[in-house]
PDB file of all heavy atoms in Angstrom:
ATOM      1  N   CYS L   2     199.151  20.492-135.336  1.00  0.00           N
ATOM      2  CA  CYS L   2     199.702  21.157-136.530  1.00  0.00           C
ATOM      3  C   CYS L   2     199.378  22.620-136.428  1.00  0.00           C
ATOM      4  O   CYS L   2     198.270  22.974-136.283  1.00  0.00           O
ATOM      5  CB  CYS L   2     199.072  20.532-137.749  1.00  0.00           C
ATOM      6  SG  CYS L   2     199.586  21.185-139.301  1.00  0.00           S
ATOM      7  N   PRO L   8     200.837  37.870-141.445  1.00  0.00           N
ATOM      8  CA  PRO L   8     200.454  38.956-140.620  1.00  0.00           C
ATOM      9  C   PRO L   8     199.328  39.762-141.290  1.00  0.00           C
ATOM     10  O   PRO L   8     199.222  39.786-142.486  1.00  0.00           O
ATOM     11  CB  PRO L   8     201.749  39.807-140.529  1.00  0.00           C
ATOM     12  CG  PRO L   8     202.573  39.377-141.692  1.00  0.00           C
ATOM     13  CD  PRO L   8     202.161  37.985-141.974  1.00  0.00           C
ATOM     14  N   VAL L  12     197.934  49.128-143.445  1.00  0.00           N
ATOM     15  CA  VAL L  12     198.027  50.217-144.382  1.00  0.00           C
ATOM     16  C   VAL L  12     198.790  51.292-143.648  1.00  0.00           C
ATOM     17  O   VAL L  12     198.462  51.624-142.509  1.00  0.00           O
ATOM     18  CB  VAL L  12     196.640  50.734-144.784  1.00  0.00           C
ATOM     19  CG1 VAL L  12     196.747  51.946-145.698  1.00  0.00           C
ATOM     20  CG2 VAL L  12     195.860  49.630-145.461  1.00  0.00           C
ATOM     21  N   VAL L  22     191.969  61.006-149.188  1.00  0.00           N
ATOM     22  CA  VAL L  22     191.910  62.255-149.977  1.00  0.00           C
ATOM     23  C   VAL L  22     191.402  62.037-151.337  1.00  0.00           C
ATOM     24  O   VAL L  22     190.564  62.745-151.886  1.00  0.00           O
ATOM     25  CB  VAL L  22     193.276  62.970-149.989  1.00  0.00           C
ATOM     26  CG1 VAL L  22     193.293  64.100-150.989  1.00  0.00           C
ATOM     27  CG2 VAL L  22     193.624  63.477-148.598  1.00  0.00           C
ATOM     28  N   ALA L  30     183.928  65.722-156.664  1.00  0.00           N
ATOM     29  CA  ALA L  30     183.788  65.943-158.109  1.00  0.00           C
ATOM     30  C   ALA L  30     182.468  65.269-158.575  1.00  0.00           C
ATOM     31  O   ALA L  30     181.738  65.850-159.385  1.00  0.00           O
ATOM     32  CB  ALA L  30     184.955  65.311-158.845  1.00  0.00           C
ATOM     33  N   THR L  51     168.343  67.348-176.214  1.00  0.00           N
ATOM     34  CA  THR L  51     167.834  66.061-176.646  1.00  0.00           C
ATOM     35  C   THR L  51     166.938  66.212-177.881  1.00  0.00           C
ATOM     36  O   THR L  51     167.091  65.503-178.859  1.00  0.00           O
ATOM     37  CB  THR L  51     167.076  65.378-175.505  1.00  0.00           C
ATOM     38  OG1 THR L  51     167.960  65.214-174.382  1.00  0.00           O
ATOM     39  CG2 THR L  51     166.539  64.023-175.940  1.00  0.00           C
ATOM     40  N   PHE L  70     173.680  72.960-188.057  1.00  0.00           N
ATOM     41  CA  PHE L  70     172.332  72.451-187.837  1.00  0.00           C
ATOM     42  C   PHE L  70     171.928  72.758-186.340  1.00  0.00           C
ATOM     43  O   PHE L  70     170.846  73.262-186.063  1.00  0.00           O
ATOM     44  CB  PHE L  70     172.219  70.972-188.101  1.00  0.00           C
ATOM     45  CG  PHE L  70     170.837  70.389-187.931  1.00  0.00           C
ATOM     46  CD1 PHE L  70     169.949  70.347-188.925  1.00  0.00           C
ATOM     47  CD2 PHE L  70     170.527  69.818-186.686  1.00  0.00           C
ATOM     48  CE1 PHE L  70     168.691  69.791-188.707  1.00  0.00           C
ATOM     49  CE2 PHE L  70     169.281  69.251-186.447  1.00  0.00           C
ATOM     50  CZ  PHE L  70     168.364  69.245-187.511  1.00  0.00           C
ATOM     51  N   THR L  79     165.378  78.779-178.489  1.00  0.00           N
ATOM     52  CA  THR L  79     165.536  79.527-177.212  1.00  0.00           C
ATOM     53  C   THR L  79     164.457  80.574-177.080  1.00  0.00           C
ATOM     54  O   THR L  79     164.040  81.133-178.065  1.00  0.00           O
ATOM     55  CB  THR L  79     166.941  80.249-177.181  1.00  0.00           C
ATOM     56  OG1 THR L  79     167.034  81.067-178.305  1.00  0.00           O
ATOM     57  CG2 THR L  79     168.076  79.207-177.168  1.00  0.00           C
ATOM     58  N   ASN L  82     164.503  87.025-175.636  1.00  0.00           N
ATOM     59  CA  ASN L  82     164.907  87.928-174.571  1.00  0.00           C
ATOM     60  C   ASN L  82     163.818  89.034-174.468  1.00  0.00           C
ATOM     61  O   ASN L  82     163.405  89.602-175.445  1.00  0.00           O
ATOM     62  CB  ASN L  82     166.250  88.542-174.949  1.00  0.00           C
ATOM     63  CG  ASN L  82     166.828  89.477-173.919  1.00  0.00           C
ATOM     64  OD1 ASN L  82     166.098  89.948-173.071  1.00  0.00           O
ATOM     65  ND2 ASN L  82     168.098  89.714-174.004  1.00  0.00           N
ATOM     66  N   ILE L 102     152.820 109.865-190.492  1.00  0.00           N
ATOM     67  CA  ILE L 102     153.380 111.200-190.738  1.00  0.00           C
ATOM     68  C   ILE L 102     153.660 111.382-192.253  1.00  0.00           C
ATOM     69  O   ILE L 102     153.419 112.521-192.771  1.00  0.00           O
ATOM     70  CB  ILE L 102     154.683 111.358-189.893  1.00  0.00           C
ATOM     71  CG1 ILE L 102     154.327 111.508-188.441  1.00  0.00           C
ATOM     72  CG2 ILE L 102     155.462 112.568-190.393  1.00  0.00           C
ATOM     73  CD1 ILE L 102     155.491 111.494-187.500  1.00  0.00           C
TER      74      ILE L 102
END
Side-chain angles (χ1 to χ4, degrees):
C2 179
V12 177
V22 168
T51 302
F70 180 90
T79 58
N82 183 341
I102 289 172

